[in-house]
Coordinates of all heavy atoms in Angstrom, one line a residue:
G182 N -12.2 -3.3 -13.7 CA -10.8 -2.7 -13.4 C -10.5 -2.6 -12.1 O -9.4 -1.9 -11.6
A183 N -11.3 -3.3 -11.2 CA -11.0 -3.3 -9.7 C -9.7 -3.9 -9.4 O -9.0 -3.6 -8.3 CB -12.0 -3.9 -8.9
C184 N -9.1 -4.8 -10.2 CA -7.9 -5.5 -10.1 C -6.6 -4.9 -10.7 O -5.6 -5.5 -10.8 CB -8.1 -6.9 -10.5 SG -8.3 -7.0 -12.4
M185 N -6.8 -3.6 -11.1 CA -5.7 -2.9 -11.8 C -4.5 -2.8 -11.0 O -4.5 -2.4 -9.8 CB -6.1 -1.6 -12.3 CG -5.5 -1.0 -13.5 SD -5.8 -2.0 -15.0 CE -7.5 -1.4 -15.4
V186 N -3.3 -3.3 -11.6 CA -2.1 -3.0 -11.0 C -1.2 -2.4 -12.1 O -1.6 -2.2 -13.3 CB -1.4 -4.3 -10.6 CG1 -2.2 -5.0 -9.5 CG2 -1.1 -5.3 -11.8
L187 N -0.1 -1.8 -11.7 CA 0.9 -1.3 -12.6 C 1.9 -2.2 -12.9 O 2.6 -2.8 -12.1 CB 1.5 0.0 -12.1 CG 0.5 1.1 -11.7 CD1 1.2 2.4 -11.2 CD2 -0.5 1.5 -12.8
I188 N 2.1 -2.5 -14.2 CA 3.2 -3.4 -14.7 C 4.1 -2.4 -15.4 O 3.7 -1.9 -16.5 CB 2.8 -4.5 -15.6 CG1 1.8 -5.4 -14.7 CG2 3.9 -5.5 -16.1 CD1 1.2 -6.6 -15.5
N189 N 5.5 -2.3 -14.9 CA 6.4 -1.4 -15.5 C 5.7 0.0 -15.6 O 5.9 0.7 -16.7 CB 7.0 -1.8 -16.8 CG 8.0 -2.9 -16.5 OD1 8.5 -3.2 -15.5 ND2 8.2 -3.7 -17.6
G190 N 4.8 0.4 -14.8 CA 4.1 1.7 -14.8 C 2.8 1.8 -15.6 O 2.2 2.8 -15.5
N191 N 2.6 0.7 -16.3 CA 1.3 0.8 -17.1 C 0.1 -0.1 -16.4 O 0.5 -1.2 -15.9 CB 1.6 0.1 -18.4 CG 2.8 0.9 -19.2 OD1 2.6 2.1 -19.3 ND2 3.7 0.2 -19.8
P192 N -0.9 0.5 -16.5 CA -2.1 -0.2 -15.8 C -2.4 -1.5 -16.5 O -2.6 -1.5 -17.7 CB -3.3 0.8 -15.9 CG -2.9 1.8 -17.0 CD -1.5 1.7 -17.0
S193 N -2.6 -2.6 -15.7 CA -2.9 -3.8 -16.4 C -3.9 -4.6 -15.4 O -3.6 -4.6 -14.2 CB -1.7 -4.7 -16.6 OG -0.8 -4.1 -17.3
P194 N -4.9 -5.3 -16.0 CA -5.8 -6.0 -15.1 C -5.2 -7.3 -14.6 O -4.9 -8.2 -15.3 CB -7.1 -6.2 -15.9 CG -6.5 -6.1 -17.2 CD -5.3 -5.3 -17.3
S195 N -5.0 -7.4 -13.3 CA -4.2 -8.5 -12.7 C -5.0 -9.8 -12.9 O -4.4 -10.8 -12.9 CB -3.8 -8.3 -11.4 OG -4.9 -8.1 -10.5
C196 N -6.3 -9.7 -12.9 CA -7.1 -11.0 -13.0 C -6.9 -11.8 -14.4 O -7.3 -12.9 -14.4 CB -8.5 -10.7 -12.8 SG -9.4 -9.7 -14.1
I197 N -6.4 -11.1 -15.4 CA -6.2 -11.7 -16.7 C -4.8 -11.7 -17.1 O -4.5 -11.9 -18.2 CB -7.1 -11.2 -17.7 CG1 -6.8 -9.7 -18.0 CG2 -8.6 -11.5 -17.5 CD1 -7.4 -9.2 -19.2
T198 N -3.9 -11.4 -16.1 CA -2.4 -11.5 -16.4 C -1.8 -12.6 -15.7 O -2.0 -12.8 -14.5 CB -1.8 -10.1 -15.9 OG1 -2.5 -9.1 -16.5 CG2 -0.3 -10.1 -16.2
S199 N -1.1 -13.4 -16.5 CA -0.4 -14.5 -15.9 C 0.9 -14.2 -15.2 O 1.5 -13.1 -15.5 CB -0.1 -15.5 -16.9 OG 1.0 -15.0 -17.8
V200 N 1.3 -14.9 -14.2 CA 2.5 -14.6 -13.4 C 3.7 -14.7 -14.4 O 4.5 -13.8 -14.3 CB 2.7 -15.7 -12.3 CG1 4.1 -15.6 -11.7 CG2 1.6 -15.5 -11.3
N201 N 3.6 -15.5 -15.3 CA 4.7 -15.8 -16.4 C 4.8 -14.4 -17.1 O 5.9 -14.1 -17.6 CB 4.4 -16.9 -17.3 CG 5.6 -17.3 -18.2 OD1 6.6 -17.3 -17.6 ND2 5.4 -17.7 -19.3
A202 N 3.8 -13.8 -17.4 CA 3.8 -12.5 -18.2 C 4.6 -11.3 -17.6 O 4.9 -10.4 -18.1 CB 2.4 -12.1 -18.7
V203 N 4.6 -11.4 -16.2 CA 5.3 -10.3 -15.4 C 6.6 -10.7 -14.9 O 7.2 -9.9 -14.2 CB 4.4 -9.8 -14.2 CG1 3.1 -9.3 -14.8 CG2 4.1 -11.1 -13.2
A204 N 7.1 -11.8 -15.3 CA 8.5 -12.2 -14.9 C 9.5 -11.1 -15.3 O 9.5 -10.7 -16.4 CB 8.8 -13.6 -15.5
G205 N 10.3 -10.7 -14.2 CA 11.3 -9.7 -14.6 C 10.8 -8.3 -14.8 O 11.6 -7.3 -15.0
K206 N 9.5 -8.1 -14.4 CA 8.9 -6.7 -14.6 C 8.5 -6.2 -13.3 O 8.4 -7.0 -12.3 CB 7.7 -6.8 -15.5 CG 8.0 -7.2 -16.9 CD 6.8 -7.2 -17.7 CE 7.1 -7.8 -19.2 NZ 5.9 -7.9 -20.0
E207 N 8.5 -4.9 -13.2 CA 8.1 -4.3 -11.9 C 6.6 -4.2 -11.8 O 5.9 -3.7 -12.6 CB 8.6 -2.8 -11.7 CG 8.3 -2.1 -10.6 CD 8.8 -0.8 -10.5 OE1 10.0 -0.5 -10.1 OE2 8.0 0.2 -10.9
V208 N 6.0 -4.9 -10.6 CA 4.6 -4.9 -10.4 C 4.4 -4.0 -9.3 O 4.9 -4.3 -8.1 CB 4.1 -6.4 -10.2 CG1 2.6 -6.4 -9.9 CG2 4.4 -7.2 -11.5
T209 N 3.4 -2.9 -9.3 CA 3.1 -2.1 -8.2 C 1.5 -2.4 -8.0 O 0.7 -2.2 -8.8 CB 3.3 -0.7 -8.6 OG1 4.7 -0.6 -9.0 CG2 3.0 0.2 -7.3
T210 N 1.3 -2.6 -6.8 CA -0.1 -2.8 -6.3 C -0.5 -1.5 -5.5 O 0.4 -0.7 -5.2 CB -0.3 -4.0 -5.4 OG1 0.4 -3.8 -4.2 CG2 0.1 -5.4 -6.0
I211 N -1.8 -1.4 -5.0 CA -2.2 -0.3 -4.3 C -1.4 -0.1 -3.1 O -1.1 1.0 -2.7 CB -3.7 -0.4 -4.0 CG1 -4.3 0.9 -3.4 CG2 -4.0 -1.5 -3.2 CD1 -4.4 2.1 -4.5
E212 N -1.0 -1.2 -2.5 CA -0.2 -1.1 -1.3 C 1.2 -0.5 -1.5 O 1.8 0.0 -0.6 CB 0.1 -2.5 -0.6 CG -1.2 -3.1 0.0 CD -2.1 -3.8 -1.1 OE1 -1.8 -3.8 -2.4 OE2 -3.1 -4.2 -0.7
G213 N 1.7 -0.6 -2.8 CA 3.0 -0.2 -3.0 C 3.1 1.3 -3.3 O 4.2 2.0 -3.4
L214 N 2.0 2.1 -3.3 CA 2.0 3.5 -3.5 C 2.4 4.3 -2.2 O 3.0 5.4 -2.3 CB 0.6 4.0 -3.9 CG 0.1 3.5 -5.3 CD1 -1.3 4.1 -5.6 CD2 1.1 3.8 -6.3
E215 N 2.1 3.7 -1.1 CA 2.4 4.3 0.2 C 3.8 4.3 0.5 O 4.4 3.3 0.2 CB 1.6 3.7 1.4 CG 2.0 4.4 2.7 CD 1.8 3.2 3.8 OE1 0.9 2.4 3.7 OE2 2.6 3.2 4.7
I216 N 4.4 5.4 0.8 CA 5.9 5.3 1.2 C 6.1 5.9 2.6 O 5.8 7.1 2.8 CB 6.7 6.2 0.1 CG1 6.6 5.6 -1.2 CG2 8.2 6.3 0.7 CD1 7.3 6.4 -2.3
N217 N 6.7 5.0 3.4 CA 7.0 5.6 4.8 C 5.8 6.1 5.5 O 5.9 7.1 6.2 CB 8.2 6.5 4.8 CG 9.5 5.9 4.4 OD1 9.7 4.7 4.7 ND2 10.2 6.7 3.8
G218 N 4.6 5.5 5.3 CA 3.3 5.8 6.0 C 2.6 7.0 5.3 O 1.7 7.5 5.8
K219 N 3.2 7.5 4.3 CA 2.6 8.7 3.6 C 1.9 8.2 2.3 O 2.5 7.6 1.5 CB 3.7 9.7 3.2 CG 3.1 10.9 2.6 CD 4.2 12.0 2.3 CE 3.8 13.2 1.7 NZ 2.3 13.6 1.7
L220 N 0.6 8.5 2.2 CA -0.2 8.1 0.9 C 0.2 8.7 -0.3 O 0.8 9.9 -0.2 CB -1.7 8.3 1.2 CG -2.3 7.5 2.4 CD1 -3.8 7.9 2.4 CD2 -2.2 6.0 2.0
H221 N 0.2 8.3 -1.4 CA 0.3 8.9 -2.7 C -0.6 10.0 -2.8 O -1.7 10.0 -2.3 CB 0.2 7.8 -3.8 CG 0.6 8.2 -5.1 ND1 0.0 9.1 -5.8 CD2 1.8 7.9 -5.8 CE1 0.5 9.3 -7.0 NE2 1.5 8.7 -7.1
A222 N -0.2 11.1 -3.5 CA -1.1 12.2 -3.9 C -2.4 11.8 -4.4 O -3.5 12.5 -4.0 CB -0.3 13.2 -4.8
V223 N -2.5 10.8 -5.2 CA -3.7 10.4 -5.8 C -4.7 9.8 -4.7 O -5.8 10.0 -4.7 CB -3.5 9.4 -7.0 CG1 -4.9 8.8 -7.5 CG2 -2.8 10.0 -8.0
Q224 N -4.0 8.9 -3.8 CA -4.8 8.4 -2.7 C -5.4 9.4 -1.8 O -6.6 9.4 -1.4 CB -3.9 7.5 -1.9 CG -3.5 6.3 -2.6 CD -2.4 5.4 -1.9 OE1 -1.4 5.9 -1.5 NE2 -2.8 4.1 -1.6
E225 N -4.5 10.5 -1.5 CA -5.1 11.5 -0.7 C -6.1 12.3 -1.5 O -7.1 12.6 -0.8 CB -3.9 12.6 -0.4 CG -2.8 12.1 0.6 CD -3.3 11.9 2.0 OE1 -4.4 12.4 2.3 OE2 -2.5 11.4 2.9
A226 N -6.0 12.5 -2.7 CA -7.0 13.3 -3.3 C -8.3 12.5 -3.5 O -9.4 13.0 -3.3 CB -6.6 13.5 -4.9
F227 N -8.3 11.3 -3.6 CA -9.6 10.4 -3.7 C -10.2 10.5 -2.1 O -11.4 10.5 -2.1 CB -9.3 8.9 -4.0 CG -9.2 8.8 -5.5 CD1 -8.2 9.2 -6.3 CD2 -10.4 8.1 -6.0 CE1 -8.3 8.9 -7.6 CE2 -10.4 7.9 -7.4 CZ -9.3 8.3 -8.2
L228 N -9.4 10.5 -1.1 CA -10.0 10.7 0.2 C -10.6 12.0 0.4 O -11.7 12.3 0.9 CB -9.0 10.3 1.3 CG -8.5 8.9 1.4 CD1 -7.4 8.8 2.3 CD2 -9.6 7.9 1.8
T229 N -9.9 13.0 0.0 CA -10.3 14.5 0.2 C -11.7 14.8 -0.5 O -12.6 15.5 0.0 CB -9.2 15.4 -0.3 OG1 -8.0 15.2 0.3 CG2 -9.6 16.8 -0.3
T230 N -11.8 14.1 -1.8 CA -13.1 14.4 -2.6 C -14.2 13.5 -2.1 O -15.2 13.5 -2.9 CB -12.7 14.4 -3.9 OG1 -12.2 13.2 -4.4 CG2 -11.8 15.5 -4.5
D231 N -13.9 12.5 -1.3 CA -14.9 11.4 -1.0 C -15.3 10.8 -2.3 O -16.5 10.7 -2.5 CB -16.1 12.1 -0.4 CG -15.9 12.4 1.1 OD1 -15.0 11.9 1.8 OD2 -16.5 13.4 1.5
A232 N -14.5 10.4 -3.0 CA -14.6 9.8 -4.4 C -15.3 8.5 -4.4 O -15.7 8.0 -5.4 CB -13.4 9.8 -5.2
F233 N -15.5 7.8 -3.3 CA -16.0 6.4 -3.3 C -17.3 6.4 -2.3 O -17.5 7.1 -1.4 CB -15.0 5.5 -2.7 CG -13.8 5.5 -3.4 CD1 -12.6 5.9 -2.9 CD2 -13.8 5.1 -4.7 CE1 -11.4 5.8 -3.7 CE2 -12.6 5.1 -5.6 CZ -11.4 5.5 -5.1
Q234 N -18.1 5.4 -2.7 CA -19.3 4.9 -1.8 C -18.8 3.6 -1.2 O -18.3 3.5 0.0 CB -20.5 4.9 -2.5 CG -21.1 6.3 -2.9 CD -22.4 6.2 -3.6 OE1 -23.1 5.2 -3.4 NE2 -22.8 7.3 -4.3
C235 N -18.9 2.6 -1.8 CA -18.5 1.2 -1.4 C -17.0 1.0 -1.4 O -16.6 0.1 -0.7 CB -19.3 0.1 -2.1 SG -18.6 -0.3 -3.7
S236 N -16.4 1.6 -2.3 CA -14.9 1.4 -2.5 C -14.5 0.2 -3.2 O -13.3 0.0 -3.3 CB -14.2 1.6 -1.2 OG -14.3 3.0 -0.7
Y237 N -15.4 -0.5 -3.7 CA -15.0 -1.8 -4.5 C -14.0 -1.4 -5.6 O -13.0 -2.2 -5.9 CB -16.2 -2.5 -5.0 CG -15.9 -3.8 -5.6 CD1 -15.6 -5.0 -4.9 CD2 -15.7 -3.9 -7.1 CE1 -15.2 -6.2 -5.4 CE2 -15.2 -5.1 -7.6 CZ -15.1 -6.3 -6.8 OH -14.8 -7.4 -7.4
C238 N -14.3 -0.3 -6.3 CA -13.5 0.1 -7.5 C -12.1 0.8 -7.1 O -11.3 1.1 -7.9 CB -14.3 0.9 -8.4 SG -14.8 2.5 -7.7
A239 N -12.0 1.2 -5.8 CA -11.0 2.2 -5.4 C -9.5 1.9 -5.8 O -9.0 2.8 -6.3 CB -11.1 2.4 -3.8
S240 N -9.2 0.6 -5.5 CA -7.8 0.4 -5.7 C -7.5 0.5 -7.4 O -6.5 1.1 -7.7 CB -7.3 -0.8 -5.2 OG -8.0 -2.0 -5.9
G241 N -8.4 0.0 -8.1 CA -8.2 0.0 -9.5 C -8.3 1.4 -10.1 O -7.5 1.8 -11.0
M242 N -9.1 2.2 -9.7 CA -9.3 3.5 -10.0 C -8.0 4.4 -9.7 O -7.4 5.1 -10.5 CB -10.5 4.3 -9.3 CG -11.8 3.8 -9.8 SD -12.1 4.5 -11.4 CE -13.9 3.9 -11.6
I243 N -7.6 4.2 -8.6 CA -6.3 4.9 -8.1 C -5.2 4.4 -8.9 O -4.3 5.3 -9.5 CB -6.1 4.7 -6.6 CG1 -7.1 5.5 -5.9 CG2 -4.7 5.1 -6.2 CD1 -7.1 5.2 -4.3
M244 N -4.9 3.1 -9.2 CA -3.8 2.6 -9.9 C -3.9 3.3 -11.4 O -2.9 3.8 -12.0 CB -3.7 1.1 -10.0 CG -3.6 0.5 -8.7 SD -2.3 1.3 -7.7 CE -0.8 0.5 -8.4
S245 N -5.0 3.3 -11.9 CA -5.2 3.8 -13.3 C -4.9 5.4 -13.4 O -4.2 5.9 -14.3 CB -6.6 3.6 -13.8 OG -6.7 2.3 -14.2
A246 N -5.2 6.1 -12.2 CA -5.1 7.5 -12.1 C -3.6 7.9 -12.0 O -3.1 8.8 -12.6 CB -5.9 8.1 -11.1
V247 N -2.9 7.0 -11.2 CA -1.5 7.1 -10.9 C -0.7 7.0 -12.3 O 0.1 7.8 -12.6 CB -1.0 6.2 -9.9 CG1 0.5 6.1 -10.0 CG2 -1.4 6.5 -8.5
S248 N -1.1 6.1 -13.1 CA -0.4 6.0 -14.4 C -0.8 7.1 -15.3 O 0.1 7.6 -15.9 CB -1.0 4.5 -14.9 OG -0.5 4.4 -16.2
L249 N -2.0 7.5 -15.4 CA -2.4 8.7 -16.1 C -1.6 9.9 -15.9 O -1.0 10.4 -16.7 CB -3.9 9.0 -16.0 CG -4.4 10.3 -16.5 CD1 -4.2 10.4 -18.1 CD2 -5.8 10.5 -16.0
L250 N -1.5 10.2 -14.6 CA -0.8 11.4 -14.2 C 0.7 11.3 -14.4 O 1.4 12.3 -14.5 CB -1.2 11.8 -12.8 CG -2.7 12.1 -12.4 CD1 -2.9 12.3 -11.0 CD2 -2.9 13.4 -13.3
K251 N 1.2 10.2 -14.4 CA 2.7 9.9 -14.6 C 2.9 10.3 -16.1 O 3.9 10.9 -16.4 CB 3.0 8.6 -14.3 CG 4.5 8.3 -14.5 CD 4.9 6.9 -14.0 CE 6.4 6.7 -14.3 NZ 6.8 5.3 -14.2
N252 N 2.0 10.0 -16.9 CA 2.1 10.2 -18.3 C 1.7 11.4 -18.9 O 2.0 11.9 -19.8 CB 1.5 9.0 -19.3 CG 2.2 7.6 -18.9 OD1 3.4 7.5 -18.8 ND2 1.4 6.7 -18.8
N253 N 0.7 12.0 -18.1 CA 0.1 13.3 -18.5 C -0.2 14.0 -17.1 O -1.4 13.9 -16.7 CB -1.3 13.0 -19.3 CG -1.9 14.3 -19.8 OD1 -1.5 15.5 -19.4 ND2 -3.0 14.1 -20.3
P254 N 0.7 14.9 -16.7 CA 0.5 15.5 -15.3 C -0.6 16.6 -15.2 O -1.1 16.8 -14.2 CB 1.8 16.3 -15.1 CG 2.8 15.5 -16.0 CD 2.0 15.1 -17.2
S255 N -1.1 17.0 -16.4 CA -2.3 17.9 -16.3 C -3.3 17.6 -17.4 O -3.6 18.2 -18.4 CB -1.8 19.3 -16.6 OG -0.9 19.8 -15.7
P256 N -4.0 16.4 -17.2 CA -4.9 15.9 -18.2 C -6.2 16.7 -18.3 O -6.6 17.3 -17.2 CB -5.2 14.5 -17.7 CG -5.0 14.5 -16.2 CD -3.9 15.5 -16.0
S257 N -6.8 16.9 -19.4 CA -8.0 17.5 -19.6 C -9.2 16.5 -19.0 O -8.8 15.3 -18.8 CB -8.4 17.8 -21.0 OG -8.6 16.6 -21.7
E258 N -10.3 17.0 -18.8 CA -11.4 16.1 -18.3 C -11.6 15.0 -19.4 O -11.8 13.9 -19.0 CB -12.8 17.0 -18.2 CG -13.8 16.1 -17.6 CD -15.1 16.8 -17.1 OE1 -14.8 17.9 -16.8 OE2 -16.2 16.3 -17.1
D259 N -11.5 15.3 -20.7 CA -11.8 14.2 -21.7 C -10.6 13.2 -21.6 O -10.9 12.0 -21.7 CB -11.8 15.0 -23.0 CG -13.1 15.6 -23.4 OD1 -14.1 15.4 -22.6 OD2 -13.1 16.4 -24.3
A260 N -9.4 13.7 -21.4 CA -8.4 12.7 -21.3 C -8.4 11.9 -20.0 O -8.0 10.7 -20.0 CB -6.9 13.5 -21.1
I261 N -9.0 12.4 -19.0 CA -9.2 11.6 -17.7 C -10.2 10.6 -18.1 O -10.0 9.3 -17.8 CB -9.7 12.6 -16.4 CG1 -8.5 13.4 -16.1 CG2 -10.2 11.6 -15.4 CD1 -8.9 14.5 -15.1
I262 N -11.3 11.0 -18.7 CA -12.4 9.9 -19.0 C -11.8 8.9 -19.9 O -12.1 7.7 -19.7 CB -13.6 10.7 -19.5 CG1 -14.2 11.6 -18.6 CG2 -14.6 9.8 -20.3 CD1 -15.2 12.5 -19.1
K263 N -11.2 9.3 -20.9 CA -10.6 8.2 -21.9 C -9.5 7.3 -21.0 O -9.5 6.1 -21.3 CB -9.7 9.0 -22.9 CG -9.2 8.0 -23.9 CD -8.7 8.7 -25.2 CE -8.2 7.7 -26.3 NZ -7.4 8.3 -27.2
A264 N -8.7 7.9 -20.3 CA -7.7 7.0 -19.6 C -8.4 6.1 -18.6 O -7.8 5.0 -18.3 CB -6.7 7.9 -18.7
M265 N -9.5 6.5 -17.9 CA -10.2 5.6 -16.9 C -11.2 4.7 -17.6 O -12.0 4.3 -16.8 CB -10.7 6.7 -16.0 CG -9.7 7.5 -15.2 SD -8.6 6.7 -14.3 CE -9.4 6.1 -12.9
D266 N -11.3 4.6 -18.8 CA -12.3 3.9 -19.5 C -12.4 2.4 -19.1 O -13.6 1.8 -19.1 CB -12.1 4.0 -21.0 CG -13.3 3.5 -21.7 OD1 -14.4 3.9 -21.5 OD2 -13.0 2.7 -22.8
R267 N -11.3 1.7 -18.7 CA -11.4 0.4 -18.2 C -11.8 0.2 -16.8 O -11.8 -0.9 -16.5 CB -10.0 -0.3 -18.5 CG -9.6 -0.4 -19.9 CD -8.4 -1.2 -20.2 NE -7.2 -0.7 -19.7 CZ -6.1 -1.3 -19.5 NH1 -6.1 -2.6 -20.0 NH2 -5.1 -0.9 -18.9
N268 N -12.0 1.3 -16.2 CA -12.4 1.1 -14.7 C -14.0 1.5 -14.6 O -14.3 2.5 -15.1 CB -11.5 2.0 -13.9 CG -10.2 1.8 -13.8 OD1 -9.4 2.0 -14.7 ND2 -9.7 1.1 -12.8
I269 N -14.6 0.6 -13.9 CA -16.1 0.9 -13.9 C -16.4 1.0 -12.3 O -15.8 0.3 -11.4 CB -16.9 -0.4 -14.3 CG1 -16.7 -0.6 -15.8 CG2 -18.4 -0.3 -14.0 CD1 -17.2 -1.8 -16.5
C270 N -17.2 2.0 -12.0 CA -17.7 2.2 -10.7 C -19.1 2.0 -10.6 O -20.0 2.7 -11.1 CB -17.5 3.7 -10.2 SG -18.1 4.1 -8.6
R271 N -19.6 0.9 -10.1 CA -21.0 0.5 -9.9 C -21.8 1.6 -9.0 O -22.9 1.6 -9.2 CB -21.1 -0.8 -9.3 CG -20.6 -2.0 -10.0 CD -21.3 -2.3 -11.3 NE -20.7 -3.4 -11.9 CZ -21.0 -3.6 -13.2 NH1 -21.8 -3.0 -13.9 NH2 -20.4 -4.8 -13.8
C272 N -21.1 2.2 -8.2 CA -21.8 3.2 -7.5 C -22.0 4.6 -8.2 O -22.8 5.5 -7.8 CB -21.1 3.6 -6.2 SG -20.9 2.1 -5.1
G273 N -21.3 4.7 -9.3 CA -21.5 6.0 -10.2 C -20.8 7.2 -9.6 O -21.5 8.3 -9.8
T274 N -19.7 7.1 -8.9 CA -19.1 8.3 -8.4 C -18.3 9.0 -9.4 O -17.3 9.7 -8.9 CB -18.3 7.9 -7.1 OG1 -17.3 7.0 -7.4 CG2 -19.3 7.3 -6.1
Y275 N -18.5 8.8 -10.6 CA -17.6 9.3 -11.7 C -17.2 10.9 -11.5 O -16.1 11.1 -11.6 CB -18.0 9.0 -13.0 CG -18.1 7.5 -13.3 CD1 -19.4 6.9 -13.5 CD2 -17.0 6.7 -13.5 CE1 -19.4 5.5 -13.7 CE2 -16.9 5.3 -13.7 CZ -18.3 4.7 -13.8 OH -18.2 3.4 -14.0
P276 N -18.2 11.6 -11.3 CA -17.9 13.0 -11.2 C -16.9 13.4 -10.0 O -15.8 14.1 -10.1 CB -19.2 13.8 -10.9 CG -20.2 12.8 -11.5 CD -19.6 11.5 -11.2
F277 N -16.9 12.5 -8.9 CA -16.0 12.8 -7.9 C -14.7 12.2 -8.2 O -13.6 12.7 -7.7 CB -16.6 12.2 -6.6 CG -17.8 12.8 -6.0 CD1 -19.0 12.3 -6.4 CD2 -17.8 14.0 -5.3 CE1 -20.3 12.9 -6.1 CE2 -18.9 14.6 -5.0 CZ -20.2 14.1 -5.3
I278 N -14.7 11.1 -8.9 CA -13.3 10.6 -9.3 C -12.6 11.4 -10.2 O -11.4 11.7 -10.2 CB -13.6 9.1 -10.0 CG1 -14.1 8.1 -9.0 CG2 -12.3 8.7 -10.7 CD1 -14.7 6.8 -9.4
I279 N -13.3 12.1 -11.2 CA -12.7 13.1 -12.0 C -12.1 14.2 -11.1 O -10.9 14.6 -11.4 CB -13.7 13.6 -13.2 CG1 -14.0 12.4 -14.0 CG2 -13.1 14.8 -13.9 CD1 -15.1 12.7 -15.1
K280 N -12.9 14.6 -10.3 CA -12.4 15.8 -9.3 C -11.2 15.4 -8.7 O -10.3 16.2 -8.5 CB -13.6 16.1 -8.4 CG -13.5 17.4 -7.7 CD -14.8 17.7 -7.0 CE -14.6 18.5 -5.8 NZ -15.8 18.8 -5.0
A281 N -11.2 14.2 -8.2 CA -10.1 13.7 -7.4 C -8.8 13.7 -8.2 O -7.7 14.1 -7.8 CB -10.3 12.2 -6.8
I282 N -8.9 13.2 -9.5 CA -7.7 13.2 -10.4 C -7.3 14.7 -10.7 O -6.1 14.9 -10.8 CB -8.1 12.3 -11.7 CG1 -8.4 10.9 -11.3 CG2 -7.0 12.5 -12.6 CD1 -8.9 10.0 -12.4
Q283 N -8.2 15.5 -10.9 CA -7.9 17.0 -11.1 C -7.1 17.4 -9.9 O -6.1 18.3 -10.1 CB -9.2 17.7 -11.4 CG -9.7 17.2 -12.9 CD -11.1 17.9 -13.2 OE1 -11.9 18.1 -12.3 NE2 -11.4 18.3 -14.4
L284 N -7.6 17.2 -8.7 CA -7.0 17.5 -7.5 C -5.6 17.2 -7.4 O -4.7 17.7 -7.2 CB -7.9 17.2 -6.3 CG -7.3 17.7 -4.9 CD1 -7.2 19.2 -4.8 CD2 -8.1 17.1 -3.8
A285 N -5.5 15.8 -7.7 CA -4.1 15.2 -7.6 C -3.1 15.8 -8.6 O -2.0 16.0 -8.3 CB -4.2 13.7 -7.7
S286 N -3.6 16.1 -9.7 CA -2.8 16.7 -10.7 C -2.2 18.1 -10.3 O -1.2 18.5 -10.8 CB -3.6 17.0 -12.1 OG -4.4 17.9 -12.1
K287 N -2.9 18.8 -9.4 CA -2.5 20.1 -8.9 C -1.6 20.0 -7.7 O -1.0 21.0 -7.3 CB -3.7 21.0 -8.7 CG -4.7 21.3 -9.9 CD -5.8 21.9 -9.5 CE -6.7 22.2 -10.9 NZ -8.2 22.3 -10.5
S288 N -1.5 18.7 -7.2 CA -0.8 18.7 -5.9 C 0.6 18.3 -6.0 O 1.4 18.1 -5.0 CB -1.5 17.7 -5.0 OG -1.3 16.4 -5.6
K289 N 1.1 18.2 -7.4 CA 2.5 17.8 -7.6 C 3.4 19.1 -7.6 O 3.1 20.1 -7.9 CB 2.7 17.2 -8.8 CG 1.9 15.7 -8.6 CD 2.1 14.8 -10.0 CE 1.4 13.5 -9.6 NZ 1.7 12.6 -10.7
Ligands
LIG391 FE1 -18.6 1.5 -5.2 FE2 -17.0 2.6 -7.2 S1 -17.5 3.4 -5.1 S2 -18.0 0.7 -7.1

């Protein structure tokens, strides 16, 4: 899930998505979350909670979390785990990732 982007707001793995499939659709990458130099609340929360070690999974985790919180602003821990199921962290920082998503859900 490291390549996750949002297509019309829904998380989609860009590595298996053809350009033709996104014609006319809104594609948001991790770079698109920052607005006028201000990071998205989810990005801030991941930094605040030190949710990463190597950060290979970072952009995909954040994109999936952004989509989750857009659809469910106050997710339970189980809902977070289910929504993040396609994202893998080889470093195993899952408890911190959950904590970051919970923090971001409270910052809105
Ligand atoms: Fe290393 Fe997630 S922090 S893969």
